[in-house]
Amino acid sequence: QVQLVESGGGLVQAGGSLRLSCAASGSIISINRMAWYRQAPGKQRDFVAAINSGGSTNYADSVKGRFTISRDNAKNTVSLQMNSLKPEDTAVYYCNVLLWAGVRRDYWGQGTQVTVSS
């Protein structure tokens, strides 16, 4: 059984910063890709950022230069540092982890709300 627990969401003013974290636990053998997605009300879930096991990262164009994804392989955690936040960043943020735990599949966190006020 694998669980992902997210933390760090909240309410912030435009221009502010937040840091999201996601911890994976359970019978994990190895973790490949770790990523963040977000879903605004009435919209589809969109890719935000990802980091692979070697540390290579990629970002959605809308967050490049403002968000930074990182991971701690020893702790099975992934973080998203969000700076210069904008009202359009308001969404529920989900972590997504592709890992091997007997079978190779991806898991989703429960989501954490980020609200940016103007």
Side-chain angles (χ1 to χ4, degrees), residues 1 21 26-27 30 32 37 42 44 54 64 66-67 69 72-73 76 81 85 103 106 108 110 113 118:
Q1 188 76 5
S21 294
S27 302
S30 63
N32 303 112
Y37 289 75
Q44 67 181 17
K64 280 181 181 176
R66 301 188 297 122
F67 291 10
I69 189 171
D72 184 330
N73 292 328
N76 290 341
Q81 177 66 41
L85 283 160
V103 294
D106 68 329
W108 291 91
Q110 80 281 6
Q113 177 70 47
S118 57

Side-chain angles (χ1 to χ4, degrees), residues 65-103:
R66 301 188 297 122
F67 291 10
T68 302
I69 189 171
S70 60
R71 63 189 282 173
D72 184 330
N73 292 328
K75 297 180 179 179
N76 290 341
T77 59
V78 59
S79 297
L80 185 69
Q81 177 66 41
M82 305 184 294
N83 299 328
S84 302
L85 283 160
K86 305 175 181 180
E88 51 263 44
D89 294 318
T90 295
V92 177
Y93 284 70
Y94 297 90
C95 70
N96 173 265
V97 178
L98 176 63
L99 58 84
W100 175 261
V103 294

